[in-house]
Amino acid sequence: MHELIRDITLCILFAWMLGLLAHFSRQPLILAYLIAGFCIGPFGAGWVHSQESIGVISELGLIFMLFMIGLEIDLKKIVRAGKVILFAAGGQLLGGCLLGVLFFVGIGLSLGGGQFDAVYLCVACALSSTVIIVKVLYEKRELDTLPGRITLGVLVLQDIFAILFLAVQPSLANLQASVILLSIGRVAVLVAAALLISRYVLPRLFHQIARRPELILLGALAWCFLVAETAERLSLSREMGALIAGVSLSTFPYALDVTAKVTTLRDFFITLFFVALGMTIPVPGLSVIGLALMIAAFTVVSRLVTTFTPLYLMKQGLRASLLPALNLAQISEFSLVVIQTGVADHHIAAQTANAASFAFVVLAVLSTFAMSRSDEITRWAIGPLKRIGLRDLDHGNGHAEEGHEGGHGEARRIVILGFFRAASALLAEIERQAPVLLEQITVVDFNPNVYQTLLSRGLHVIYGDISSADTLLHAGVGKSEMIILSVPDSLLKGASNEKLVRHVRALNPTALIVATADLLSDVDELYAAGASYVTVTRLSDAHELFTVIEAAQAGLLTDKRAELDQRLGERREVLP
């Protein structure tokens, strides 16, 4: 017992020290935890050598990690997932697994006879890292973009795929139809029971203790371990039970509260899991490094092929097809969970598991770098893809006018450069108050959904990247009378309002240019760059909020809300 406490102390201390180093060098924290485990483990300094301690620490961390993954799986989002996300995820998962089996069997890994290295690796390589992706997309403010939503949708469906694999995994050595059906039946019973209890019993209990945070935390942990132990009794695994416990709570009214209460404890045990995993990684030999590099290379290539292809075939355009493929090009922390379950059941060789861990480390570093520069990489890649014959949405589509080489005709009197919520609201307002003006407007943007929707409504739209001077030149912006920049700098990719104003002013010295400022200090810089007028959205927001305060003080808030509801009901916006 004293040795276990000492070992946990070393785990947390080294995880914190190397975590600080990773933070300042902008590397994934998971990478720091793995290195910390290696440093203090049996293959490093040897300060933690008890296999029992390592096993206990690892299993506790794994249970909590899967519980929290389950809590973050939103079943409602899966139900609402659009066909683009469903086809993209289906193509990526099925294509990735098929290519994985062919590749890993082709390089000599086993597929049966009690050893399933190829199976585990193809499943592990089909999953992407939620931790890394969400962190980078959040920092880049791209979670709410089209490629960001596609990426997150695919991640959710990957989690469902992993759940199904974990249900079948204990029976891999005896893959008979009856055994598989029995395993799936046990999972179905456990899921149904957990969902029913979390729907009809737990809300009443948690409502009674809503003001006692310690009891909410204790109740969530009790539920996690109860379902985990029940799963063990059903010949499943505690890890599988923890995942089901989390998924069942994700649908219930106190899910956010539970998640908030458990997050700190989760971080503690997830840290222990990755440190314990690092302890099991020996100093790699050339064969392990070689296999790890092959796994990493296969993951990147297969992800680009299996994600880009279905999105491109569904006419999402080159950019919106490439970005999710780049975002998803790494191995998931969930993959390490899958690998560890295989190691525990003696389904996969230790050397293969170590190679997978090293591949995870390599891709965690490389994909973080690639995602942070995904816009530059995408712009660089689009040219060669077009040269080999892949057409983007700016090619043809039957909307050619006056022989313009882009196939869309030159821009009209008023040009909206970039299309997000402010531009969507502007078009709805024009449609309501001066619909004739719509015939004089051109929109330039590279969101395929915006492009198709505007075309279907009969508006003039040019598909292109507004940060590219060539796009502005070929669109004919130099002949327009008014150019509107409604996208704030925080959402622009590869440009800023100031740079766009300078480009447009150089192309069109006489046009009226309306730009958008995020900060008050940006206003003077935009005017100096050549803007005719600068909008500051915080001012209009402040005015609206002040009218709400006035209405509330006068007892007219209900009337004001009714007026707003009527206005919203009359609008037909492109972006809801």
Side-chain angles (χ1 to χ4, degrees), residues 3-67:
E3 189 171 303
L4 178 61
I5 294 174
R6 181 190 68 101
D7 292 346
I8 290 177
T9 302
L10 286 170
C11 289
I12 296 303
L13 179 62
F14 272 79
W16 179 65
M17 291 167 58
L18 289 172
L20 288 175
L21 185 62
H23 171 73
F24 291 121
S25 59
R26 300 184 64 81
Q27 296 301 317
L29 287 178
I30 292 173
L31 175 60
Y33 301 155
L34 288 170
I35 295 174
F38 173 79
C39 290
I40 64 177
F43 301 103
W47 293 331
V48 177
H49 52 78
S50 169
Q51 293 301 316
E52 185 178 352
S53 291
I54 295 172
V56 170
I57 292 170
S58 178
E59 186 168 12
L60 279 173
L62 193 51
I63 287 172
F64 270 93
M65 181 176 176
L66 286 170
F67 179 56

Side-chain angles (χ1 to χ4, degrees), residues 65-85:
M65 181 176 176
L66 286 170
F67 179 56
M68 291 306 297
I69 288 175
L71 275 174
E72 291 166 3
I73 292 177
D74 192 333
L75 296 177
K76 294 178 182 177
K77 285 185 178 179
I78 295 172
V79 173
R80 294 197 304 264
K83 65 177 182 179
V84 170
I85 292 174

Side-chain angles (χ1 to χ4, degrees), residues 318-319 322-323 326 373-387 446 464-469 471 491-495:
L318 292 177
R319 181 180 182 274
L322 278 170
L323 281 175
L326 283 174
R373 292 160 178 79
S374 59
D375 293 298
E376 295 95 317
I377 294 172
T378 302
R379 289 189 178 91
W380 170 83
I382 285 176
L385 288 175
K386 286 184 175 181
R387 285 194 289 274
F446 53 29
D465 181 358
I466 62 171
S467 67
S468 167
T471 296
L491 295 174
L492 285 172
K493 303 301 171 189

